[in-house]
Amino acid sequence: MSFNINNSFPCNACGQCCRYVDKSTQTAYLSRGDGVCRHLDEQSNLCMIYEHRPLVCQVEKYYQVYLKEHLSWQDFVERNVQICQKLQQASY
């Protein structure tokens, strides 16, 4: 599958990345104490502050600000999709 920065990250809104925010120093502050983001609506798996979410949660923008000089968009997406799939498998 080919990606470029004009393609948005292929998120399926499963909410798994929001259930492990304590695993990263960049997102640990978002934890409500159990690793789950305090802004996650667990019923819908959607962010309750989506329009005002932190930069670290804005995948495309975060990539542009911090990673574009070090990693291609395609590599970034592929790595993150692999992580996403592992998180989804771990939840079953």
Side-chain angles (χ1 to χ4, degrees):
M1 185 172 197
S2 178
F3 297 97
N4 65 52
I5 196 60
N6 295 321
N7 293 341
S8 61
F9 185 80
C11 178
N12 66 4
C14 71
Q16 290 306 308
C17 59
C18 303
R19 287 182 168 77
Y20 296 95
V21 294
D22 61 333
K23 303 298 181 198
S24 170
T25 57
Q26 293 183 323
T27 56
Y29 75 97
L30 294 168
S31 177
R32 63 182 187 197
D34 61 356
V36 177
C37 180
R38 64 178 177 258
H39 303 296
L40 177 66
D41 178 338
E42 291 189 87
Q43 300 300 318
S44 67
N45 288 329
L46 299 176
C47 180
M48 294 184 289
I49 62 162
Y50 187 81
E51 294 300 321
H52 305 286
R53 68 196 186 281
L55 178 61
V56 71
C57 301
Q58 298 178 45
V59 178
E60 290 90 353
K61 190 180 262 188
Y62 184 88
Y63 171 82
Q64 287 287 352
V65 171
Y66 293 108
L67 301 172
K68 72 179 181 178
E69 301 298 324
H70 309 285
L71 190 65
S72 74
W73 177 245
Q74 179 177 349
D75 287 342
F76 174 76
V77 169
E78 287 174 359
R79 289 179 190 192
N80 281 278
V81 165
Q82 288 174 359
I83 293 167
C84 183
Q85 290 170 344
K86 286 179 184 179
L87 291 174
Q88 289 175 19
Q89 290 170 357
S91 70
Y92 297 108

